Amino acid sequence: TMQIQVSVEDVSSVRKKLEVEIPSEVVEQEFEAVSRQFRGQARLPGFRPGKAPLALVKRNFRKEIRNEVVQNLVPRSYQQALGEQPWTPVGQPRIGDLDFGEQGPLRYVASLEVFPELKLPPYEGLRVADVDEDVSGQEVASAMQELRERHARFEPVEDRPVQEGDLVTIDLGGEYLLNPEDPEAELPEPFRQEDYTLEVGGENTHEAFTGALSGMNLAQEKTFEVSYPQDVPEEKLAGRRVRFTAEVTDIRSRVLPELDDDFARLLGEFEDLEQLRNRVRQDLEHRKKHDRETQIRNRLLGQLVEQTGFELPESLVEERIDSKVRDLAYNIASQGVDLARAGVDWAKLRGELRPQAEREIRGELILDRIAEEQEIPVEPRDEAEELGRVAQSMKAPLEKVRGYFRQEGRMEELRAGLRRRKALEWLREQAVVE
């Protein structure tokens, strides 16, 4: 340890300022030590390496020596000053107001954020309302209907016009139209696509195409115009006005299978419809049981978040928002959308994500405190099981996943997540479900 003077300013419960002063004699000792290091390496005309007079080295390399002294003393003195305080820092400090003259002490101010001190309300035996896990007949019927729709077949139609739900094949031509607001803009070349298939009224079908094709007959041709906003995934259509010509070459109607024993046997492992219906009910009950436990845990943690008020370090919140924005941007880009043309108001989006980010961080800090107070451990077997789950979900070899977590230094992050999960399980075990 070195002799330093530290004064602390509590800017807020999570923002602190450390004013640090390193006395002249400590600075001078470091200056001498660094100067001797420079003499051992310095190349000065007329002197062999390491033989130049120390005074000459100090004069010629004064700026470099001073920088090295600052780089050595500031981190060491900051860690020493921090060790004298009761709080834990979040991230790295911001060093400012550096005062280092020709003579005298070295002074600076370290501005930092710290984890908040939590005063939790009583949390053993929390009461929470139960969640309905009974599966209704309507839910079973809806699930059976989804099965029918997943196994629908499409049959050719020749004796009626196109109607919603049909699978229609068209020969499609497109011609770009001038935008009156930008009459000088260069228009892309017209295009043509044969055997283009779409579902009329489907969620991935533009409403203009659904409107134009509905009521058309085989071999009929129609021309219609579409104005596209800037945020459509296809770059060649974004912000464009296009005149389409479509000729219907094939119409197929969607036919759902009958709900009978033959349909049950078609799915492979059921002898009759009753067996299929029972399995569907069992699957729904299993899913509801899992959802019930998740909701009960979320309600318990939500109670503590509501009852525990504390200030959050801004850097933690911003970091979480950054992570959410990155995930969203990745999802948009993975759908083939140009982020620059997606029309996302990123500043507005960050504001919308902030409440969720804050709730998540509050919940995590509360679980960290419970884990600490209840001395909840994370055993090696917990880590092994978690790595196995990650490997299974990623469909990757276990050793490769384990190497990734160790190489990237993410094991502590993995342990923190496990500890929080175990703290939430402990909270659930103590709770009274009404």
Side-chain angles (χ1 to χ4, degrees):
T1 60
M2 68 178 84
Q3 181 189 354
I4 59 174
Q5 294 176 4
V6 182
S7 63
V8 179
E9 180 186 346
D10 289 320
V11 181
S12 77
S13 62
V14 294
R15 292 171 57 217
K16 312 293 179 184
K17 273 188 181 178
L18 294 177
E19 294 184 15
V20 181
E21 180 178 310
I22 306 171
S24 305
E25 54 270 26
V26 176
V27 178
E28 287 168 9
Q29 287 172 9
E30 186 69 21
F31 198 93
E32 288 297 315
V34 173
S35 298
R36 284 193 291 272
Q37 289 173 3
F38 266 74
R39 181 169 65 173
Q41 303 163 4
R43 295 185 177 275
L44 290 173
F47 299 97
R48 291 193 310 242
K51 299 300 182 181
L54 195 58
L56 185 62
V57 171
K58 289 178 181 178
R59 190 165 63 246
N60 278 33
F61 296 98
R62 187 161 192 81
K63 183 179 178 182
E64 291 82 358
I65 292 170
R66 282 167 54 81
N67 287 343
E68 187 83 13
V69 167
V70 171
Q71 288 174 23
N72 289 348
L73 290 182
V74 168
R76 276 161 47 195
S77 60
Y78 170 71
Q79 288 302 326
Q80 183 177 324
L82 197 60
E84 299 169 1
Q85 311 307 321
W87 13 259
T88 306
V90 175
Q92 297 301 314
R94 184 168 51 82
I95 304 296
D97 297 337
L98 187 68
D99 180 8
F100 184 23
E102 290 296 318
Q103 300 291 328
L106 189 161
R107 300 185 185 90
Y108 65 89
V109 175
S111 301
L112 66 151
E113 288 191 305
V114 301
F115 284 97
E117 281 295 316
L118 305 190
K119 292 180 181 176
L120 295 181
Y123 53 80
E124 292 190 47
L126 287 177
R127 295 181 176 276
V128 62
D130 202 352
V131 179
D132 176 32
E133 64 172 313
D134 290 335
V135 174
S136 69
Q138 180 57 49
E139 287 172 307
V140 174
S142 295
M144 298 290 283
Q145 180 65 15
E146 285 177 20
L147 272 178
R148 290 181 71 202
E149 290 174 358
R150 279 208 300 272
H151 291 83
R153 66 182 189 278
F154 288 89
E155 297 183 347
V157 171
E158 295 180 355
D159 57 350
R160 66 162 175 78
V162 173
Q163 63 187 32
E164 194 159 321
D166 286 348
L167 203 64
V168 178
T169 304
I170 57 176
D171 289 342
L172 183 68
E175 177 189 4
Y176 292 95
L177 303 177
L178 276 175
N179 183 347
E181 297 178 7
D182 191 9
E184 303 298 321
E186 186 178 343
L187 296 178
E189 291 294 315
F191 59 89
R192 182 165 180 80
Q193 184 172 354
E194 296 188 349
D195 298 330
Y196 180 67
T197 301
L198 46 81
E199 182 183 352
V200 175
E203 61 180 23
N204 295 320
T205 301
H206 195 290
E207 57 187 15
F209 276 76
T210 290
L213 296 176
S214 294
M216 289 181 67
N217 290 294
L218 271 174
Q220 185 179 349
E221 188 175 275
K222 182 182 283 189
T223 299
F224 57 98
E225 295 179 5
V226 181
S227 294
Y228 289 95
Q230 286 286 353
D231 59 354
V232 294
E234 296 86 0
E235 189 173 340
K236 66 180 182 179
L237 298 176
R240 300 284 187 181
R241 194 156 162 262
V242 185
R243 179 183 291 129
F244 289 103
T245 300
E247 180 185 353
V248 176
T249 59
D250 186 59
I251 306 172
R252 292 179 181 267
S253 66
R254 195 157 170 267
V255 179
L256 301 182
E258 292 295 326
L259 268 182
D260 54 22
D261 293 344
D262 288 339
F263 175 60
R265 285 190 283 269
L266 177 71
L267 298 183
E269 53 182 299
F270 306 102
E271 293 181 7
D272 54 32
L273 186 63
E274 193 57 32
Q275 267 196 12
L276 171 61
R277 189 175 276 114
N278 288 338
R279 170 65 65 82
V280 166
R281 179 179 286 278
Q282 287 170 13
D283 290 347
L284 287 172
E285 286 171 348
H286 179 75
R287 196 182 315 157
K288 273 210 165 189
K289 186 176 181 181
H290 177 268
D291 291 348
R292 170 184 181 262
E293 280 302 316
T294 301
Q295 286 189 54
I296 287 174
R297 284 170 165 79
N298 289 342
R299 288 180 181 183
L300 286 168
L301 188 55
Q303 276 187 42
L304 290 179
V305 169
E306 290 298 320
Q307 295 171 20
T308 312
F310 53 91
E311 187 180 1
L312 286 178
E314 184 60 21
S315 56
L316 277 185
V317 178
E318 287 294 327
E319 188 180 291
R320 183 61 55 90
I321 295 172
D322 288 344
S323 173
K324 290 181 178 297
V325 169
R326 276 196 303 272
D327 289 346
L328 191 67
Y330 176 79
N331 288 338
I332 293 173
S334 67
Q335 295 171 23
V337 180
D338 181 356
L339 285 173
R341 303 175 68 101
V344 179
D345 185 338
W346 297 104
K348 182 182 177 186
L349 176 65
R350 293 182 72 85
E352 292 169 348
L353 291 172
R354 175 172 286 270
Q356 183 187 355
E358 290 181 351
R359 277 195 305 274
E360 288 177 5
I361 295 168
R362 287 183 188 281
E364 289 170 8
L365 293 177
I366 288 169
L367 291 175
D368 288 342
R369 173 53 62 86
I370 292 174
E372 181 186 332
E373 291 183 357
Q374 301 302 323
E375 298 180 349
I376 294 173
V378 173
E379 307 289 356
R381 77 168 178 275
D382 298 324
E383 294 176 21
E385 288 174 2
E386 183 67 8
L387 287 170
R389 277 192 290 269
V390 173
Q392 190 174 13
S393 68
M394 293 174 65
K395 296 180 179 171
L398 178 59
E399 285 309 310
K400 187 174 181 181
V401 170
R402 184 180 281 116
Y404 164 77
F405 272 91
R406 285 179 178 160
Q407 186 177 354
E408 295 289 326
R410 293 172 181 251
M411 281 306 294
E412 190 48 50
E413 193 179 320
L414 181 104
R415 290 188 197 101
L418 277 170
R419 194 174 290 109
R420 288 167 189 149
R421 191 187 307 162
K422 291 183 76 173
L424 190 53
E425 287 171 3
W426 181 91
L427 197 65
R428 167 66 181 91
E429 288 166 5
Q430 309 300 314
V432 178
V433 180
E434 298 175 326

